[in-house]
């Protein structure tokens, strides 16, 4: 596991991915490919499986992969522990970053970076350098240095946590980053600051899989490709113009309100109807409140 | 459990001898406690066989510095007690006096608890062979701690350390009580009294690092006067069965107290805590935080009572106990209780027992931190707030290092 380099191209490939939480199948055959320097947006309504996709790729406990594969440069990601996936170059910026009492970002990231450098635990010097990097990156996204020195995510607002995720992303410099609703809870200035930082990283070779509910963040992240996920499948893919269409029409055209609509966009196989109780509730207007923090799909 | 006639061989004034005899008779009449009594619930008290232990005061030499490394340097006073005998008293600062039997300690014994608070407390009054009283002069401000080392390394010894701390009006001081032991079976039943005068600020820390075959049944009884500020720290790391009963009476209006405890059970040890936050006076506050981990086959029991008496209005009392279970064979129990006789109060209690938090571990793993390192970080982090709260920075630092050592090589995944 060598350090990621800007010049080599890396590819995260998701093929036919099926995954369940408990008895509920949430992902029902996802295909996606993200390469260095490319920004892919995955958009979908509540309960479509967006966050599950992010969690399953990173290996969060509580999900079972029932079919399909995920590889990074041909390496089977699904057989790796979450930390090995991170060491291989994956990063997940979480929708709801967990508070870790008594553990600072510097302590955690110094452990990760020392391991990547082949060292057995960070030296004082590596800890100090990690601290400096965190402070510099915090300044770049307008997060107070005092906040990045705190125990991880302790007493931070939603927006501060998202900036903190961006800060850690920038310090770790992964190959492929999955951003799970990085825009939720961020005001417009913070969103711009985080997106600018991520865009600079993509120019240096970072591949991005940005999961989002709203098109707003895409004005700043500027995706190369946009995918629409409904009921655990990618039902449409296209260029940035697809996001504009979503802005105008919402997800309604993709939702199987009328049985015929499902056939028109080839959502599923024969007899495919949305399962009741999967969390795919009746479509509310996702643009009604752009400041809302969408509920976690499993919530 | 013991013969009341043992008191006849002990030193002290005639008045003390009378009190000893009364306490011994009381204790002998009470007999041996049983786990069927609520106060001994969840404990291995029925395994106590007094015939295994002999009461004596052979003395000996001082114990290891252990977690108190460096603390004696610059201390205001240092006392060494071992196996029932005071070895050495060294007072190095103004404003503090240390008394033993014959120099006035007998008059101070029982200031906070004239009798009890349980059968071991009575045996302690009856058989305390080496009582020590630390008196802080009114208005004195001690910038360095008073350190009392209590060491036990005689096989089969039963003895009763007694410490009385008198913090004079508006004085400021910290007293550290350090219990060490050799790796030999012994029964140690300490009783510590803390009398905190009006407006005084007293810190008291007990550091218990006994050997793995020792039994300790300890009592700490405190009384906080008007506008007094009492901070109690308790660190429990050793013992086969180590019990600490800590009772604070908030008897002076405007008094504030905090109790912060750190415990880490390994091997087959049982750590047992009973706390009583008793608010007698109005406008008093008390805050309690007990955080511990149990590994291997260790057990931990926490039972706490907040009691608000009828006259104690405008009281705030809080109680939190959190336990980390680091092995599938470890066990912990937490029983918080409230007893409130005044409606104009704010009380809270909370407790938890569980393994290393899976979300916290996943968060760290998602940054690239290996599972075992992530768990060690979470365990260290768990103790952070309570270590910060101990009333001695030196002890916080050394306990932090000890916990680092305990978690750095451990594998907690099996606990899930």
């Amino acid at each position: 596991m060598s350090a990621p380099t800007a010049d080599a191209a890396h590819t995260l490939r998701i093929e036919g991915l099926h995954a369940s939480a408990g008895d509920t199948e949430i992902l029902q055959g996802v295909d996606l490919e993200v390469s260095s320097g490319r920004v892919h947006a995955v958009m979908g309504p509540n309960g479509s499986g967006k966050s599950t996709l992010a969690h399953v790729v990173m290996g969060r406990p509580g999900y079972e992969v029932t079919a399909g594969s995920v590889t990074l440069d041909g390496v089977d990601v699904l057989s790796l522990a979450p930390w090995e996936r991170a060491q291989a170059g994956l990063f997940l910026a979480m929708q709801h970053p967990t508070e870790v009492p008594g553990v600072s970002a510097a302590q955690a990231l110094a452990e990760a970076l020392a391991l990547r450098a082949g060292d057995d635990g960070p030296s004082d010097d590596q800890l100090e350098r990690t601290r400096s990097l965190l402070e510099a990156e915090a300044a770049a996204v307008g997060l107070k240095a005092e906040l990045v020195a705190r125990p991880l995510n302790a007493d931070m607002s939603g927006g501060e946590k998202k900036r903190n995720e961006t800060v850690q992303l920038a310090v770790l410099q992964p190959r492929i980053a999955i951003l799970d609703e990085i825009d939720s809870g961020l005001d417009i200035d913070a969103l711009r600051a985080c997106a600018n930082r991520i865009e600079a990283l993509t120019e240096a070779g970072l591949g991005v899989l940005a999961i989002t509910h709203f098109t707003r963040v895409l004005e700043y992240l500027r995706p190369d490709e946009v995918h629409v996920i409904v009921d655990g499948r990618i039902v449409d893919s296209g260029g940035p113009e697809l996001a504009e269409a979503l802005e105008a029409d919402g997800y309604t055209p993709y939702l199987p309100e009328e049985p015929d609509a499902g056939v028109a966009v080839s959502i599923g196989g024969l007899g495919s109807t949305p399962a009741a109780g999967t969390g795919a509730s009746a479509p509310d207007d996702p643009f009604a409140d752009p400041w809302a923090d969408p509920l976690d799909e499993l919530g | 459990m013991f013969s009341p006639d043992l008191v006849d061989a002990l030193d002290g004034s005639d008045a003390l001898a009378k009190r000893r005899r009364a306490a011994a008779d009381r204790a002998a009449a009470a007999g041996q406690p049983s786990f069927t009594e609520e106060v001994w619930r969840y404990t291995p008290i029925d395994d106590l066989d007094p015939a295994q232990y002999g009461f004596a005061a052979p003395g000996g030499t001082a114990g290891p510095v252990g977690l108190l490394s460096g603390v004696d340097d610059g201390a205001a006073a240092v006392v060494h007690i071992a196996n029932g005998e005071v070895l050495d008293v060294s007072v190095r600062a103004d404003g503090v006096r240390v008394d033993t039997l014959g120099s006035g300690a007998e008059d101070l014994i029982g200031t906070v608890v004239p009798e009890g608070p349980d059968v071991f407390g009575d045996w302690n009054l009856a058989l305390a062979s080496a009582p020590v009283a630390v008196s802080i002069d009114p208005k004195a401000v001690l910038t360095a701690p008073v350190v009392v080392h209590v060491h036990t390394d005689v096989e089969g010894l039963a003895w009763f350390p007694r410490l009385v701390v008198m913090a004079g009006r508006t004085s400021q001081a910290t007293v550290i009580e350090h219990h060490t032991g050799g790796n030999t079976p012994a029964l140690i039943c300490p009783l510590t009294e803390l009398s905190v005068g009006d407006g005084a600020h007293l810190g008291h820390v007990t550091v218990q690092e006994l050997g793995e075959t020792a039994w300790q049944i300890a009592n700490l009884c405190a009384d906080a006067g008007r506008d007094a500020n009492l901070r109690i720290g308790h660190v429990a790391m050793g013992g086969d069965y180590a019990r600490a009963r800590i009772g604070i009476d908030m008897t002076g209006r405007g008094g504030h107290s905090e109790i912060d405890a750190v415990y880490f059970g390994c091997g087959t040890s049982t750590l047992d805590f009973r706390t009583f936050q008793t608010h007698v006076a109005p406008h008093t506050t008390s805050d309690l935080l007990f955080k511990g981990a149990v590994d291997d086959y260790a057990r931990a029991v926490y039972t706490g009572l907040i009691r608000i008496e009828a006259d104690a209005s405008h009281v705030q009392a809080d109680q939190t106990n959190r336990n980390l279970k680091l092995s599938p064979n470890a066990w912990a129990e937490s029983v918080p209780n409230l007893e409130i006789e005044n409606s104009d109060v704010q009380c809270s209690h909370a407790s938890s027992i569980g393994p290393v938090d899976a979300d916290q571990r996943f968060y760290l793993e998602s940054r690239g931190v290996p599972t075992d390192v992530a768990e060690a970080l979470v365990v260290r982090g768990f103790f952070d707030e309570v270590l910060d709260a101990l009333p001695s920075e030196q002890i916080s630092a050394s306990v932090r290092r000890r916990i680092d050592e305990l978690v750095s090589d451990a594998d907690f995944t099996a606990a899930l």
Side-chain angles (χ1 to χ4, degrees):
Chain A
M1 296 178 201
S2 57
T5 49
D7 51 332
H10 302 283
T11 301
L12 175 72
R13 187 171 288 128
I14 301 167
E15 289 180 303
L17 189 62
H18 289 248
S20 307
D23 294 332
T24 308
E25 186 171 56
I26 299 171
L27 301 184
Q28 306 190 34
V30 173
D31 297 287
L32 263 180
E33 195 175 301
V34 182
S35 294
S36 294
R38 304 281 289 176
V39 177
H40 293 247
V42 173
M43 306 191 62
N46 285 335
S48 57
K50 301 185 305 289
S51 279
T52 297
L53 177 62
H55 291 156
V56 167
V57 171
M58 204 65 209
R60 185 175 203 126
Y63 300 93
E64 190 192 351
V65 175
T66 51
S69 68
V70 180
T71 59
L72 179 62
D73 300 334
V75 173
D76 176 17
V77 163
L78 296 176
S79 67
L80 301 178
W83 68 270
E84 293 172 314
R85 301 180 194 200
Q87 287 286 338
L90 288 180
F91 181 86
L92 171 61
M94 294 194 193
Q95 184 186 0
H96 301 293
T98 310
E99 185 178 331
V100 190
V103 181
S104 70
Q107 277 177 289
L109 268 52
E111 291 281 357
L113 292 171
L115 183 64
R116 193 194 282 173
D119 296 328
D120 185 21
S123 63
D124 289 348
D125 180 52
Q126 283 169 323
L127 188 61
E128 201 41 57
R129 274 162 48 205
T130 307
R131 209 168 269 140
S132 307
L133 281 171
L134 282 164
E135 277 178 24
E137 291 293 349
V141 297
L143 184 68
K144 286 183 199 148
E146 166 233 320
L147 291 182
V148 84
R150 268 189 201 170
L152 281 159
N153 303 311
D155 303 317
M156 289 191 197
S157 68
E160 286 162 349
K161 288 179 184 175
K162 295 306 174 70
R163 293 194 216 214
N164 195 23
E165 293 291 278
T166 307
V167 165
Q168 294 176 63
L169 162 61
V171 170
L172 286 171
Q173 305 251 341
R175 287 166 173 162
I176 307 288
I178 302 162
L179 314 177
D180 190 5
E181 310 248 3
I182 191 80
D183 49 322
S184 68
L186 279 180
D187 64 35
I188 205 76
D189 292 331
L191 178 58
R192 192 179 289 129
C194 288
N196 285 346
R197 187 68 193 96
I198 292 165
E199 191 178 29
L201 292 167
T202 62
E203 282 165 10
L206 176 71
V208 170
L209 181 59
I211 286 165
T212 183
H213 199 83
F214 304 113
T215 53
R216 184 179 61 134
V217 65
L218 304 180
E219 292 169 28
Y220 302 99
L221 275 181
R222 288 188 284 178
D224 301 295
E225 285 187 56
V226 175
H227 310 273
V228 180
I229 186 169
V230 174
D231 281 346
R233 290 187 192 83
I234 306 290
V235 295
D236 202 0
S237 294
E241 72 286 351
L242 185 51
E244 288 162 26
L246 286 171
E247 177 75 50
D249 304 331
Y251 296 110
T252 311
Y254 299 105
L255 295 172
E257 269 183 315
E258 298 137 305
D260 290 346
V263 176
V265 293
S266 308
I267 289 179
L270 288 171
S272 164
T273 48
T278 56
S281 51
D284 47 358
D285 178 9
F287 302 102
D289 179 10
W291 308 105
D293 192 358
L295 293 173
D296 190 81
E297 273 125 5
L298 288 177
Chain B
M1 284 186 283
F2 303 95
S3 164
D5 295 338
L6 290 167
V7 304
D8 296 338
L10 293 173
D11 295 337
S13 62
D14 290 348
L16 179 60
K18 261 189 200 158
R19 291 164 63 203
R20 285 189 190 280
R21 175 53 83 163
D25 289 343
R26 213 164 37 234
Q32 198 170 335
S34 157
F35 78 93
T36 57
E37 297 166 54
E38 198 282 326
V39 292
W40 297 99
R41 197 174 162 208
Y42 300 117
T43 74
I45 195 69
D46 285 24
D47 297 341
L48 176 64
D49 177 10
Q52 286 185 336
Y53 306 102
F55 170 73
T61 53
V65 290
L67 288 166
L68 264 67
S69 177
V71 176
D72 286 1
D73 307 337
V78 178
V79 179
H80 283 283
I81 310 168
N83 305 311
E85 205 174 80
V86 177
L87 304 180
D88 183 53
V89 174
S90 157
V91 177
R92 306 163 181 176
D94 293 334
V96 55
R97 266 184 75 85
V98 177
D99 291 307
T100 55
L101 280 185
S103 78
E106 35 281 75
D107 299 335
L108 298 174
I109 293 171
T111 302
V112 177
V113 274
E115 55 185 68
D118 58 18
V119 66
F120 294 95
D122 276 332
W123 280 121
N124 184 291
L125 174 56
L127 298 175
S129 54
V132 169
V134 173
S135 303
I136 316 297
D137 291 346
K139 298 184 190 168
V141 176
L142 300 190
T143 53
V146 174
V147 187
V148 181
H149 296 277
V150 184
H151 185 58
T152 306
D153 61 358
V154 172
E155 185 162 354
L157 181 69
W159 74 289
F160 302 84
R162 181 87 170 206
L163 176 66
V164 183
V165 177
M166 307 290 299
R169 290 173 63 96
T170 70
S171 65
Q172 295 183 26
T174 301
V175 177
I176 297 169
E177 193 177 330
H178 185 211
H179 291 267
T180 54
N183 208 9
T184 48
L187 175 64
I188 307 125
C189 305
L191 194 156
T192 298
E193 300 177 74
L194 307 177
S195 173
V196 192
D198 294 348
H201 286 231
L202 179 68
H204 177 271
V205 192
T206 304
V207 179
Q208 184 270 98
E209 40 182 342
L210 291 168
E212 59 188 29
T213 54
W215 269 48
Q216 184 208 50
I217 300 175
N219 272 298
L220 176 74
C221 306
D223 182 298
R226 192 183 174 99
D227 297 322
N229 186 310
L230 172 62
R231 291 174 65 200
I232 290 178
H234 189 90
V235 178
M237 310 294 282
D240 178 28
Y241 170 55
R243 173 188 176 94
R245 181 198 183 282
I246 301 175
I248 295 186
D249 291 342
M250 303 303 298
T251 57
R253 185 188 175 95
H256 172 68
S257 67
E258 289 172 38
I259 315 178
D260 296 289
V262 182
Y263 49 98
F264 204 117
C266 299
T268 57
S269 77
T270 298
L271 301 173
D272 174 17
F273 305 100
R274 285 265 160 177
T275 65
F276 298 85
Q277 293 155 268
T278 304
H279 290 259
V280 179
H283 295 277
T284 49
T285 55
S286 68
D287 196 2
L288 178 148
L289 177 62
F290 271 55
K291 293 190 98 170
V294 277
D295 200 2
D296 306 327
Y297 291 82
R299 300 155 54 89
V301 184
Y302 171 81
T303 310
L305 176 67
I306 293 176
R307 186 178 144 71
I308 315 289
E309 298 197 346
D311 292 341
S313 61
H314 302 91
V315 162
Q316 172 141 12
D318 301 293
Q319 185 190 77
T320 303
N321 171 229
R322 306 225 175 267
N323 296 277
L324 270 183
K325 194 171 161 299
L326 302 180
S327 123
N329 301 307
W331 181 89
E333 184 60 82
S334 183
V335 189
N337 291 295
L338 295 174
E339 197 179 302
I340 300 174
E341 293 175 12
N342 186 301
S343 58
D344 193 8
V345 298
Q346 282 188 5
C347 294
S348 74
H349 61 77
S351 72
S352 63
I353 300 164
V356 169
D357 185 276
D359 288 337
Q360 294 176 18
R361 184 183 51 219
F362 176 70
Y363 186 84
L364 296 178
E365 282 204 61
S366 77
R367 316 288 115 156
V369 180
T371 313
D372 56 341
V373 178
E375 287 174 343
L377 285 174
V378 170
V379 176
R380 287 176 207 181
F382 166 82
F383 283 109
D384 213 48
E385 60 170 332
V386 69
L387 287 171
D388 284 346
L390 292 179
S392 162
E393 284 178 21
Q394 279 174 297
I395 288 171
S396 298
S398 65
V399 175
R400 202 181 298 268
R401 282 193 296 274
R402 176 71 59 85
I403 288 172
D404 281 357
E405 288 163 19
L406 287 168
V407 301
S408 60
D409 298 321
D411 174 13
F412 307 127
T413 314
L416 298 177

